[in-house]
């Protein structure tokens, strides 16, 4: 369990810095306020807009039960799979005391783990959920 938590923490830290492929890079985050809250960078791209900004309940309704659902502090990672790809969706609160929403997406091929098109993987995972 400790190994999973360390992995999640590392993944969440790295995902906040990475923009991945497809679409434009992340939007700059807002400066930290005196409350210590720092808004996350949000990945943008027209093919990702149907996922970015969604709450976990909406994502579960669309993609089914997540294969992995990890929470650390205010951050959350949901992982969905199809026969060909793995979709990781990272959720962070956009403001202090807010519920986390999808702010970053990563997609990779199941065999070998190479990065793949995020929009294509979203469509595959959605088809697999039906």
């Amino acid at each position: 369990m400790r190994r999973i938590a360390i992995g999640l923490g590392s993944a969440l830290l790295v995902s906040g810095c990475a923009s991945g492929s497809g679409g434009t890079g992340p939007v700059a985050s807002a400066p930290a306020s005196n409350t210590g809250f720092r808004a996350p960078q949000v990945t943008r791209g027209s093919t990702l807009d149907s996922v970015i900004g969604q709450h976990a309940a909406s994502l579960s309704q669309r993609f089914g039960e997540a294969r992995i659902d990890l929470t650390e502090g205010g951050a959350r990672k949901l992982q969905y799979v199809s026969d060909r790809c793995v979709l990781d969706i990272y959720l962070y609160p956009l403001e202090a005391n807010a519920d986390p929403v999808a702010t970053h997406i990563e997609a990779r091929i199941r065999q070998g783990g190479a990065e793949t098109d995020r929009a294509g993987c979203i469509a595959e995972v959605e088809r697999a959920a039906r």
Side-chain angles (χ1 to χ4, degrees), residues 33-87:
S33 68
N34 60 0
T35 64
F37 176 80
R38 184 172 176 99
Q41 293 183 340
V42 178
T43 303
R44 296 285 182 208
S46 60
T47 59
L48 308 177
D49 287 347
S50 67
V51 174
I52 296 296
Q54 297 296 309
H55 290 86
S58 297
L59 296 169
S60 294
Q61 199 169 32
R62 180 176 176 181
F63 299 121
E65 185 177 343
R67 179 171 96 168
I68 295 174
D69 184 345
L70 298 172
T71 302
E72 185 173 319
R76 189 169 179 185
K77 174 187 172 180
L78 299 176
Q79 184 177 89
Y80 299 96
V81 297
S82 72
D83 289 339
R84 296 183 357 201
C85 71
V86 176
L87 182 67

